[in-house]
Amino acid sequence: MKRILSLFLVIAAVMTMSACAKGKALDNEIEKKIEEDGEFNILILGDDLMESSKAYEYFIKLCEINEKDVRVDHRTEEDARLYTFADLCKTDKDFAQKVAKAEVLIFEEGTAETATTVESLKGILEYANDPVTVNVNFYGYQKRFYKSIFKEDFKDMQYADADRYVKKIIASDEDVIGYEHLYHEDRIHPNRLCGYLTAIVIYCEVFNATPKSMSFEGFEYDDTLIACAPEEWKGREDELWVKLNEMLIDLM
């Protein structure tokens, strides 16, 4: 038993060291890119799910708080699909230039299992310069739908699998938050609390980070998040954010 425990501890230590090494390597890559042309560009694309959740806003704040020297642009369109952005590359010169500059392309599509998705992404990448691609799926949109259509053509695709972690938080015996606290009244569009949790997952995926290594300073005073807190947490929202962060640390 002692040998098994020792082996487990060694594996855990190696995995932690590996994650730290990847994070440092990416930081070095960002610094190198900034020295070359003055900036490291991240572009986020999404539909009304991304817009209602403002996940891109929280991602930007996380980058600022954690002192990531990056430039983050975003483009969202109501009911957009990836073909919307593929067409924009052809018709909107400014947008095409943003795609061309992106070192990291983060995208979300509510119905990624559609037949047009792969070809649309290929169309977007024709205007790009070999960026890291990160596919975001919100809670309620399972990664298996996304991965099944991308695995053949985009073997290096990264996945910000917010559905996986948020689902476990909701299912936890601690009963901290429920589905109803993560979506607007229409039960379709994610709210800002869902966007905040999603942004953490995106940040961890992009920067090879873990919630334990991140700073969340200032989020406890964010009125937009406080408004999403369950009634039983009213007046002690700061405790809720600490609890959610602790749960994410355990899960990720």
Side-chain angles (χ1 to χ4, degrees):
M1 180 62 73
K2 288 183 178 179
R3 289 182 180 180
I4 294 174
L5 179 58
S6 297
L7 179 60
F8 174 80
L9 292 173
V10 169
I11 292 172
V14 170
M15 290 177 67
T16 301
M17 291 172 62
S18 176
C20 291
K22 287 181 180 179
K24 289 180 180 178
L26 183 57
D27 284 342
N28 291 336
E29 184 180 329
I30 291 174
E31 290 179 10
K32 180 180 178 181
K33 185 63 182 175
I34 290 172
E35 288 177 4
E36 288 176 0
D37 60 15
E39 56 189 11
F40 186 94
N41 293 283
I42 298 175
L43 178 61
I44 301 177
L45 307 178
D47 58 13
D48 39 328
L49 302 183
M50 182 69 75
E51 186 59 39
S52 71
S53 71
K54 304 296 184 188
Y56 57 83
E57 284 189 6
Y58 294 118
F59 176 76
I60 292 170
K61 287 183 180 180
L62 286 169
C63 289
E64 292 172 350
I65 291 169
N66 289 276
E67 300 181 338
K68 294 297 182 183
D69 193 6
V70 298
R71 175 186 173 88
V72 183
D73 282 318
H74 73 277
R75 179 71 177 256
T76 61
E77 300 277 348
E78 186 173 358
D79 295 327
R81 295 293 177 260
L82 283 185
Y83 58 71
T84 306
F85 300 111
D87 291 342
L88 271 176
C89 287
K90 301 173 185 177
T91 60
D92 187 327
K93 185 177 180 180
D94 290 339
F95 176 72
Q97 288 178 343
K98 288 182 179 181
V99 171
K101 289 181 179 180
E103 272 78 43
V104 179
L105 181 66
I106 301 170
F107 69 94
E108 165 269 325
E109 184 169 37
T111 54
E113 64 273 25
T114 58
T116 61
T117 297
V118 169
E119 293 307 314
S120 296
L121 183 55
K122 286 181 178 178
I124 294 170
L125 293 178
E126 286 179 6
Y127 292 82
N129 186 22
D130 193 28
V132 173
T133 53
V134 181
N135 179 208
V136 179
N137 53 305
F138 284 91
Y139 169 61
Y141 297 87
Q142 295 181 20
K143 174 182 165 185
R144 64 184 178 86
F145 292 128
Y146 294 75
K147 195 168 185 178
S148 64
I149 64 171
F150 292 136
K151 64 180 180 180
E152 295 299 327
D153 296 275
F154 306 102
K155 293 181 173 60
D156 295 327
M157 180 81 72
Q158 295 180 205
Y159 297 88
D161 191 3
D163 175 72
R164 174 186 177 187
Y165 301 109
V166 175
K167 188 179 293 180
K168 289 183 177 180
I169 288 174
I170 290 175
S172 169
D173 291 339
E174 298 187 62
D175 194 26
V176 179
I177 56 174
Y179 172 88
E180 67 275 15
H181 305 122
L182 296 171
Y183 276 75
H184 289 287
E185 291 181 359
D186 63 5
R187 295 294 192 265
I188 296 174
H189 293 89
N191 65 14
R192 283 176 173 266
L193 178 53
C194 189
Y196 168 69
L197 296 174
T198 302
I200 294 173
V201 178
I202 296 172
Y203 181 94
C204 289
E205 185 62 36
V206 170
F207 295 108
N208 292 301
T210 67
K212 188 174 183 178
S213 66
M214 296 167 60
S215 171
F216 298 93
E217 185 178 355
F219 278 106
E220 65 270 29
Y221 306 115
D222 189 315
D223 290 339
T224 61
L225 286 178
I226 290 174
C228 298
E231 194 62 36
E232 57 268 29
W233 289 95
K234 295 298 183 183
R236 53 191 186 98
E237 292 87 358
D238 55 336
E239 296 178 30
L240 173 60
W241 311 144
V242 169
K243 186 63 182 177
L244 289 173
N245 291 342
E246 289 176 346
M247 295 178 80
L248 283 173
I249 288 171
D250 291 339
L251 291 171
M252 300 179 74

